[in-house]
C-alpha cells in the first residue's frame, strides 16, 4: 500500500465554503501518549519508532477497540525538532536489530513511514487507507476528520511523533560551516534564531498598541501552571518547577523581544488519537468528542518575514473560516487552545478569533485579567508547548479531554466545557479543529 | 564575520551583482512584480517563464528589528548581541532584506529611518548586501 500526502482538496482553506459537510459526524474518542524525554538516549525502547508504537497502542486501548477494527491511519512522517542524524555517525545497531526495517535506515529513528509502523505493529491487520500529513498534528487532525467524514476509513489512528537528538538546537549542520549555499544564504546569513520572526511581529505589535514584554508574564505563568497539571507533559514529568514573574522577566534574551521562556523546549514524544464516525463512537469506551469543523491557513508572506498587517489579516480570516464551517460564533467557545510555541504567536491567534470579544491589540490587557482554568475566560488550559514542551499536540489532547471531562487537574471549572478550538502553528500557515461535547 | 557564500545556479545573478557592488532583485516582467527571496516561479502568475533580475536603487527604510543574543551560526557567535533589522526597499516596500545595520549601536535602532546600501565581505570574500543608516 503506497502512502502519499493528503491532497489539497482535503483542507478547508477558503472563506465562503459554508458549514462543513461532516459537521458533528466525526468524533475523537481515544487518546494515547508516549512518555517524554529531553533528548534521545539512543536506546531501542526510547526511539521515535518505539514511542510511536506505544502512543498508537495507547490510543487503541483508550478507545476500547480491537486493533483489527482500525482501518485507516494518518501520520506525520517528519519527526525532527530541528535535529538531524549526522551523516558521518553510524546508526545504533541494537536499534536497527530491534525492529523490522524498511529500505530507509533512518525510518523509526529520525523519520517515520506507514510502512515501518505496519511492519512493527502486526496487530493492525485491517488498514485499508493511509495518508501522510505534513509537519504537525494540527494538519493530521484536519486530514483525519476529512478521511472519516468522506468514508475513506471509519476507524482511524492519527499520529505525530518527535525526535530530539544529542547536541544543541540548530547548532550543527550548515550553521557550523564556514560557507553555505547561495539560496539558503539569502535568508540565513544574518544569524536569526527560530523565534526571531515572531519576535519581530511582537515588537511591531508592542509599538503599535503601546504594550511591552512584561505584559506577557501572566500568560507564561498560567501556561506553566497548566502544564504542570498535564501528567503526559515534559515539565510535569521531569522538571516540576513553577515559574515566577521574576523568572520570566529576568530570563536571558534569545532574540529580543523574545526570551528563553518565550521559546518552547524541544523534546522527544509521541501522541495518537483515534477518530471514528459519530455513530460508531457511541459504542466505544470514552465519551465522543465531535468535530464541528476544521480550517486551514495557507497564506504565504510576500517578504522574508510576515508583517504585522499580514499576520492580523490572516488571523482574522482564519477566525472567520473556523466559525463559518462550525456554524458557531466566538460567543460559543468555552475555551481556546491556540498555539503558543513561541508564546508570541498566541495573542495573534486569540485576537483573530475574537475570543471573549477581544480585538487586535487587546490580548495583553486580557492576560492581566483572570485567564485561569477556574475563571470565566480560560486561556490555553493545556498550557501548550510552553507548559509541556514542543509537541504542538498538547492543545489537542487537552481539548478532547476537557470535553470528555477527564482533564484532571486542568479541567476548566469557571465555565462548562462544551465547545473548544485548538490549532496552529503559524498565523500564516496552520490548521485548526473545532471540538464539541455534542454533535449539534 | 558572516559565513561565506557558495553561489548556486539559481542565485548566481544575485551574488555576482553583489560582487560588483550592485543589488539585483528577481522580477517577473509579465506581472511587473519584484520578489525576494527569489523563487522558481512568480508568486503572482505562478509562471517561471518571465523571471529575470532588476537592479535596485539601493535605498530603503528600517521596517523592524530584533536583537540576537543566541545565534545558531558559529561564525557570528563572537559578535553577540547584534542587531538584525528588516529593511524595506524604496523601489518596492514589499521587498524585505535583512541587515546587521553596521555602525548602529545594539538595540538603538531608529525604526523608520532611511538606509543606504553598502557591501561587506563575508568569510570567503563574497560580497554581501548590507545597509547603513543615512545620517
Amino acid at each position: 500500500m503506497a502512502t502519499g500526502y493528503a491532497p489539497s482538496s482535503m483542507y478547508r482553506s477558503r472563506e465562503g465554503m459554508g458549514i462543513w459537510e461532516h459537521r458533528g459526524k466525526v468524533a475523537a474518542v481515544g487518546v494515547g501518549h508516549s512518555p517524554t524525554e529531553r533528548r534521545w538516549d539512543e536506546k531501542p525502547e526510547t526511539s521515535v519508532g518505539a514511542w510511536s508504537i506505544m502512543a498508537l497502542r495507547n490510543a487503541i486501548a483508550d478507545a476500547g477497540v480491537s486493533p483489527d477494527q482500525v482501518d485507516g491511519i494518518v501520520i506525520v512522517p517528519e519527526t525532527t525538532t530541528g535535529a538531524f542524524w549526522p551523516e558521518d555517525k553510524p546508526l545504533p545497531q541494537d536499534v536497527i536489530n530491534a525492529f523490522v526495517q524498511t529500505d530507509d535506515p533512518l525510518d523509526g529513528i529520525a523519520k517515520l513511514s506507514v510502512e515501518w509502523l505496519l511492519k512493527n505493529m502486526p496487530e493492525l491487520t485491517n488498514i485499508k487507507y493511509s495518508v501522510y500529513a505534513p509537519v504537525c498534528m494540527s494538519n493530521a487532525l484536519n486530514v483525519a476528520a476529512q478521511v472519516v467524514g468522506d468514508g475513506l476509513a471509519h476507524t482511524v489512528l492519527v499520529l505525530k511523533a518527535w525526535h530530539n537528538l544529542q547536541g544543541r538546537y540548530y547548532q550543527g549542520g550548515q550553521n557550523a560551516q564556514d560557507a553555505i549555499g547561495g539560496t539558503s544564504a539569502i535568508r540565513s546569513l544574518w544569524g536569526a534564531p527560530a523565534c526571531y520572526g515572531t519576535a519581530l511581529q511582537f515588537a511591531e505589535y508592542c509599538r503599535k498598541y503601546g504594550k511591552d514584554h512584561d505584559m506577557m508574564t501572566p500568560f507564561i505563568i498560567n501556561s506553566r501552571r497548566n502544564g504542570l497539571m498535564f501528567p503526559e507533559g515534559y515539565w510535569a514529568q521531569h522538571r516540576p518547577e513553577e515559574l515566577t514573574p521574576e523568572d520570566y522577566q529576568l530570563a536571558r534574551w534569545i532574540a529580543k523581544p523574545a526570551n528563553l521562556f518565550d521559546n518552547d523546549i524541544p523534546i522527544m514524544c509521541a501522541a495518537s488519537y483515534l477518530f471514528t464516525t459519530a455513530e460508531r463512537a457511541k459504542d466505544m469506551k470514552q465519551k465522543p468528542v465531535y468535530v464541528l469543523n476544521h480550517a486551514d491557513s495557507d497564506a504565504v508572506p510576500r517578504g522574508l518575514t510576515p508583517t504585522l498587517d499580514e499576520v492580523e489579516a490572516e488571523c482574522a480570516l482564519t477566525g472567520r473560516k473556523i466559525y463559518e464551517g462550525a456554524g458557531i460564533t466566538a460567543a460559543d467557545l468555552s475555551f481556546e487552545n491556540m498555539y503558543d510555541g513561541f508564546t508570541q504567536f498566541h495573542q495573534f491567534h486569540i485576537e483573530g478569533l475574537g475570543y471573549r470579544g477581544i480585538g487586535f491589540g487587546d490580548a495583553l490587557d486580557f492576560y492581566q485579567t483572570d485567564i485561569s482554568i477556574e475563571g470565566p475566560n480560560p486561556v490555553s488550559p493545556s498550557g501548550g508547548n510552553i507548559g509541556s514542551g514542543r509537541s504542538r499536540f498538547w492543545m489537542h489532547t487537552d481539548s478532547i479531554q476537557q470535553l470528555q471531562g477527564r482533564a484532571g487537574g486542568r479541567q476548566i471549572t469557571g465555565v462548562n466545557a462544551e465547545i473548544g478550538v485548538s490549532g496552529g502553528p503559524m498565523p500564516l500557515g496552520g490548521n485548526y479543529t473545532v471540538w464539541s461535547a455534542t454533535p449539534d | 564575520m558572516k559565513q561565506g557564500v557558495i553561489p548556486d545556479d539559481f542565485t548566481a545573478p544575485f551574488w555576482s551583482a553583489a560582487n560588483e557592488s550592485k543589488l539585483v532583485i528577481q522580477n517577473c516582467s509579465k506581472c511587473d512584480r519584484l520578489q525576494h527571496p527569489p523563487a522558481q516561479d512568480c508568486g503572482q502568475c505562478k509562471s517561471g517563464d518571465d523571471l529575470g533580475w532588476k537592479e535596485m536603487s539601493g535605498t530603503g527604510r528600517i521596517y523592524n528589528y530584533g536583537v540576537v543574543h543566541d545565534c545558531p551560526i558559529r561564525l557570528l557567535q563572537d559578535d553577540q548581541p547584534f542587531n538584525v533589522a528588516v529593511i524595506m526597499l524604496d523601489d518596492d516596500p514589499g521587498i524585505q532584506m535583512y541587515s546587521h545595520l553596521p555602525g548602529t549601536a545594539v538595540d538603538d535602532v531608529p525604526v523608520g529611518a532611511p538606509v543606504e546600501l553598502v557591501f561587506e565581505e563575508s568569510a570567503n570574500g563574497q560580497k554581501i548586501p548590507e545597509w547603513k543608516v543615512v545620517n
Side-chain angles (χ1 to χ4, degrees), chain A residues 233-303:
Chain A
Y234 173 80
W235 292 98
Q237 288 179 0
H238 300 281
R239 296 175 61 181
E241 306 154 4
E242 291 186 4
L243 277 180
T244 67
E246 292 73 26
D247 291 334
Y248 176 62
Q249 292 167 11
L250 300 177
R252 67 184 177 89
W253 296 112
I254 302 297
K256 187 181 177 183
N259 76 14
L260 182 68
F261 293 115
D262 293 310
N263 288 257
D264 51 348
I265 189 168
I267 58 171
M268 299 271 305
C269 57
S272 175
Y273 309 112
L274 190 136
F275 272 40
T276 189
T277 63
E279 196 59 35
R280 286 172 187 265
K282 291 175 186 168
D283 300 325
M284 293 185 185
K285 188 171 151 189
Q286 306 297 344
K287 181 179 182 294
V289 174
Y290 300 92
V291 178
L292 296 187
N293 186 27
H294 63 89
D296 169 66
S297 157
D298 59 359
V300 177
R302 183 170 177 213

Side-chain angles (χ1 to χ4, degrees), chain A residues 352-436:
Chain A
L353 283 177
Y355 183 63
R356 294 299 188 268
I358 65 172
F360 289 111
D362 292 341
L364 270 57
D365 292 317
F366 182 61
Y367 289 167
Q368 314 309 306
T369 68
D370 183 0
I371 58 172
S372 73
I373 55 171
E374 295 87 358
N377 306 315
V379 165
S380 192
S382 70
N385 275 27
I386 295 306
S388 289
R390 178 177 304 162
S391 75
R392 297 178 175 173
F393 53 56
W394 310 115
M395 51 198 177
H396 306 305
T397 295
D398 182 74
S399 296
I400 296 167
Q401 292 179 337
Q402 291 287 351
L403 295 164
Q404 290 175 325
R406 57 174 183 148
R410 300 184 325 279
Q411 190 69 46
I412 59 172
T413 57
V415 290
N416 291 328
E418 293 173 349
I419 295 177
V421 60
S422 58
M426 316 306 173
L428 277 72
N431 299 84
Y432 306 86
T433 303
V434 183
W435 311 90
S436 174

Side-chain angles (χ1 to χ4, degrees), chain A residues 82-253:
Chain A
F84 296 91
W85 191 266
E87 287 182 10
D88 57 350
K89 182 177 177 180
L91 291 165
Q93 197 57 45
D94 55 341
V95 180
I96 302 286
N97 294 340
F99 300 98
V100 183
Q101 296 301 313
T102 65
D103 293 339
D104 188 338
L106 288 173
D107 216 348
I109 291 177
K111 60 174 66 170
L112 206 56
S113 70
V114 168
E115 182 188 4
W116 189 95
L117 285 169
L118 296 184
K119 281 177 182 281
N120 289 283
M121 294 185 73
E123 69 270 37
L124 294 177
T125 56
N126 196 32
I127 300 292
K128 295 184 171 64
Y129 185 83
S130 63
V131 68
Y132 292 128
V135 185
C136 288
M137 179 67 92
S138 297
N139 193 305
L141 291 178
N142 286 191
V143 172
Q146 201 64 39
V147 165
V148 174
D150 288 347
L152 298 169
H154 57 68
T155 303
V156 172
L157 287 167
V158 197
L159 173 79
K160 168 65 190 182
W162 295 86
H163 74 259
N164 191 35
L165 307 177
Q166 303 298 316
R168 280 204 69 200
Y169 181 53
Y170 279 134
Q171 300 272 325
Q174 75 169 24
N175 287 341
Q177 295 171 0
D178 291 339
I180 60 174
T183 298
S184 54
I186 283 176
R187 279 186 183 275
S188 66
L189 275 183
W190 286 264
C195 64
Y196 167 80
T198 314
L200 279 188
Q201 293 152 21
F202 184 75
E204 187 177 6
Y205 178 95
C206 289
R207 284 194 298 273
K208 179 175 180 180
Y209 296 115
K211 311 301 178 191
D212 62 58
H213 183 262
D214 283 358
M215 293 181 75
M216 290 290 288
T217 306
F219 175 74
I220 305 291
I221 303 296
N222 181 65
S223 295
R224 177 63 70 84
R225 175 184 182 238
N226 294 346
L228 292 180
M229 293 187 284
F230 213 136
E232 295 90 345
Y234 173 80
W235 292 98
Q237 288 179 0
H238 300 281
R239 296 175 61 181
E241 306 154 4
E242 291 186 4
L243 277 180
T244 67
E246 292 73 26
D247 291 334
Y248 176 62
Q249 292 167 11
L250 300 177
R252 67 184 177 89
W253 296 112

